[in-house]
Amino acid sequence: MHPDPALWTTLWPKLHGASAHFPIALALVAAVCEAAAFLLGEGSRRDGLRAAGFYAIAFAALGTVPAVASGLVMTKGETLGHDLLFWHHVFVWPSFAAIVGLAVWRVLTGEKMSRRAQARYLLALLVTAGLISAAGYWGGEMIVNG
Amino acid sequence: MKRPPSSALAPALALAAALTALGGAWVLACGVKALAGGAAQAVPSSAVSEADRVARGQRFYTQSCAHCHGETGDGQGEDGGADLRGLAASNARIANAITRGIKGEMPTFRKRYDPQEVSALVAYVRTFTAAAAP
């Protein structure tokens, strides 16, 4: 049995578009919440922001699964490609790995992170937020100029 | 203060998870490629060379595209079409535009050309190099 070509040209791009925005938005929310929490002193507001950052990165990691899967099926397993797709992938793969890694790090440590570990985590999260934003930018370029 | 084991191991486990995620994506990509490749192998395996494909594409281009996009893809055809030189779009995107058309701008060629013929057209369109800057 061979895949229906119409499925690839209609369904998967729609699924990719529908799923790809969640990890982008949630990674950015996680970065903002963790940065704000890092700058604030001890208190319930800081704890609330840390909790929001925790759930945001956890759900961002879960959201990367359908986004990556639908993207791979849509492009018939293309992991790099050329032109705009190439640039999309240059940013997608490191950010995908980083989001999953950061979520695991955060889930394992919970609230037990030292101040230095928090700073490292925040730095990695900010870089990841930049990478996933760039991936989203090149994804948008494919729709507008592709 | 002694850190709990999960906290101390967290960065290493995070790295392992990241690499596992990439590996999983790679496995999925290989699986999808194999599935898509199976579809491609269903096509008569006449071992069409790239040059043959481009030559076929040129024939189709002259028949269906040149009157709008121009003989050289410069968009200077009789009916006025887009400049196709140095397109940044992916092959899949170009094939999709040929197959499905562009609403209000370009007709669909789904019934006229099958996927292999569209692929040949894309290969020929790729031979149009970007226009030199004025």
Side-chain angles (χ1 to χ4, degrees), chain B residues 90-108:
Chain B
S90 66
N91 286 352
R93 197 86 184 170
I94 298 170
N96 196 41
I98 295 169
T99 307
R100 297 165 65 84
I102 300 171
K103 198 174 180 182
E105 293 180 31
M106 183 173 142
T108 166

Side-chain angles (χ1 to χ4, degrees), chain A residues 1-5 8 76, chain B residues 32-44 116:
Chain A
M1 194 184 94
H2 297 303
D4 177 7
W8 256 315
K76 299 182 183 177
Chain B
V32 172
K33 258 186 189 166
L35 190 64
Q41 280 168 12
V43 172
Q116 281 68 47

Side-chain angles (χ1 to χ4, degrees), chain B residues 18-105:
Chain B
L19 294 174
T20 304
L22 279 181
W26 183 76
V27 168
L28 177 63
C30 289
V32 172
K33 258 186 189 166
L35 190 64
Q41 280 168 12
V43 172
S45 55
S46 49
V48 182
S49 73
E50 185 64 14
D52 289 341
R53 228 157 57 89
V54 169
R56 267 185 98 199
Q58 183 174 18
R59 200 166 70 244
F60 302 142
Y61 182 88
T62 304
Q63 288 167 5
S64 304
C65 316
H67 66 276
C68 287
H69 293 287
E71 286 293 340
T72 57
D74 58 1
Q76 300 299 314
E78 289 169 30
D79 294 337
D83 187 340
L84 302 178
R85 295 171 297 177
L87 281 179
S90 66
N91 286 352
R93 197 86 184 170
I94 298 170
N96 196 41
I98 295 169
T99 307
R100 297 165 65 84
I102 300 171
K103 198 174 180 182
E105 293 180 31

Side-chain angles (χ1 to χ4, degrees), chain A residues 61-76:
Chain A
L62 291 175
T64 57
V65 176
V68 165
S70 59
L72 281 174
V73 176
M74 178 179 82
T75 57
K76 299 182 183 177

Side-chain angles (χ1 to χ4, degrees), chain A residues 57 97-107 120-121 124-126 128, chain B residues 14:
Chain A
I57 196 67
I99 286 173
V100 172
L102 286 172
V104 169
W105 186 359
R106 189 72 171 81
V107 167
R120 284 187 192 141
Y121 174 80
L125 186 55
L126 289 171
T128 302

